[in-house]
Amino acid sequence: MHVAANQAEAKGAPHPLLRHTLPLCHSGHGVSRPRNQSPFPLPSPPRAASGPAMPAPPPPKPSPRRHHHRAAPNPTRHHLHVARCFPDQLPKPPSPNPLLSLLTAVPDWADAVSERRIREERALYTHAQWREHRSSLRHLRHLLSSLSSRVILSLVPPVSAFTAFAAAVATYNTLVPDYALTASSLPYQLTAPALALLLVFRTEASYARFDEGRKAWMRVLAGAAELAGMVMHSGGDEELGRGALLNYILAFPVALKCHITSNSDIRKDLQGLLSEDDLNVVLSSKHRPRCIIEFISQSLQMLDFEEHRRSVMESKLSYFLEGICVCEQIIGIPVPLSYTRLTSRFLVLWHLTLPIILWNECKWIVVPATFVSAASLFCIEEVGVLIEEPFPMLALDAQCKQLHDSMHDMMSVQDSVRKRLVAKTKARRRGRLPQNGWAGAKVEQVKVD
């Protein structure tokens, strides 16, 4: 057998073991076998141990190559196609759980109403509103307007949940009195002062932030009014330059207001104060209040002011920079989150165990008792959370408008007062005015004994 294999090798014939190997042909659609060869060849019959080697079968003749027409695909040809790795259709997202959607419907509604009320513009109090604010009927008025209160609407989800849980505990204790859920009230008597202190400190910390934000905003407005007054009283012949500088000064509180509050349209607010080119520069800036400070600083350098007066005006810009830093810190740094989370967890655990503690003494009264307790304590916590961000609570738009109107009124009054004083000075030089300087005024002489 080895001799036959060597003879076949010498004659150029393929090895008998390689004679039935399936040659693969490459096509445009995959890998295929030759046309004249069966995809499943039968094994050759065994040969005798001695004798000449069987000649190898002649190779198949290659088919003539066609240049102009491509042969139609043979349906009997077996192709080895590669399976696709990507599915034809992406899986559909899972449908939302209707029970979960129902449970989150009330909190979502309460949050939407609360956010909408926060975005409402607040007005400055007038004398009539102050009289109404301290009226003896304010308690009745506040009670009747409870359903429209933003704080009370925010309490609907937690208070409803705890009241329903208290009703469930009361129902279970009534149906299964042998295994009723009860406990001693001594832990509540020991932890009640701790909960009271948590709520008091939480509210005090929030009000401190509110007061700090209000003072920072008032310093910004006072600095803008003082700087605008110095520009108006500086005099000079460059009226257009001074008018543009006044507009930059009045635009800074508006830009800062849009920077520290959400849902503000800065283009609409600055439309009447800045020109279109200046407004585009401010809008393209990443920090718009600092961009307007740069406009003010460059204008102070370009206008013809006395050096001492210019130095005093530039020193007033420190009010603006300080206001930016304080407002950004108040917005970016809340009350320590660990304190807020501790207060929230304490309140939740307190009201989850309240029906169990009060069942022996109150029975079904635990349901209204839980409602009153949750409404009272969560209301205090909600007020602290609301005033923690002070700027939506302040009448920023009304104060910016008040500053704008007061500056324009001051400009008109300044012109009329200047004309009146010039006329009075000329008349005094001519001797037509009495000693007090006003025409038609009676001179009263005081007799000294």
Side-chain angles (χ1 to χ4, degrees), residues 283-406:
L283 294 179
S284 62
S285 175
K286 294 182 179 180
H287 200 290
R288 282 128 184 203
R290 292 186 182 275
C291 181
I292 294 182
I293 288 180
E294 187 64 25
F295 271 104
I296 297 174
S297 179
Q298 295 290 340
S299 299
L300 289 176
Q301 295 295 329
M302 294 174 61
L303 292 177
D304 188 15
F305 292 127
E306 298 178 0
E307 191 62 30
H308 174 69
R309 184 179 292 272
R310 182 183 291 111
S311 300
V312 174
M313 291 181 182
E314 289 179 347
S315 66
K316 300 301 178 182
L317 296 179
S318 60
Y319 292 104
F320 295 169
L321 297 174
E322 181 185 0
I324 291 175
C325 294
V326 174
C327 294
E328 287 181 345
Q329 287 182 3
I330 292 177
I331 290 296
I333 305 175
V335 172
L337 297 179
S338 58
Y339 195 92
T340 304
R341 292 166 184 163
L342 176 61
T343 307
S344 178
R345 291 164 184 162
F346 205 144
L347 282 172
V348 170
L349 293 177
W350 176 278
H351 290 93
L352 283 178
T353 55
L354 184 62
I356 300 174
I357 299 296
L358 299 180
W359 175 254
N360 287 332
E361 300 178 0
C362 301
K363 299 301 179 184
W364 273 91
I365 302 180
V366 297
V367 178
T370 303
F371 173 81
V372 173
S373 175
S376 303
L377 298 182
F378 275 94
C379 184
I380 298 174
E381 195 262 348
E382 184 68 22
V383 170
V385 172
L386 285 178
I387 65 176
E388 183 180 359
E389 186 183 0
F391 301 110
M393 302 291 107
L394 298 174
L396 302 185
D397 291 293
Q399 289 176 341
C400 291
K401 186 177 183 301
Q402 185 184 45
L403 176 65
H404 182 269
D405 295 342
S406 63

Side-chain angles (χ1 to χ4, degrees), residues 52-87:
M54 295 181 63
K61 296 181 180 181
S63 59
R65 187 175 181 182
R66 298 178 182 179
H67 300 280
H68 301 286
H69 303 282
R70 188 175 182 180
N74 189 358
T76 61
R77 183 184 301 176
H78 298 271
H79 297 284
L80 301 178
H81 295 283
V82 181
R84 293 184 179 181
C85 299
F86 301 98

Side-chain angles (χ1 to χ4, degrees), residues 423-438:
K424 186 175 67 172
T425 303
K426 292 180 179 179
R428 183 185 296 134
R429 291 175 180 175
R430 296 173 184 174
R432 296 180 181 179
L433 291 180
Q435 294 180 358
N436 63 349
W438 295 100

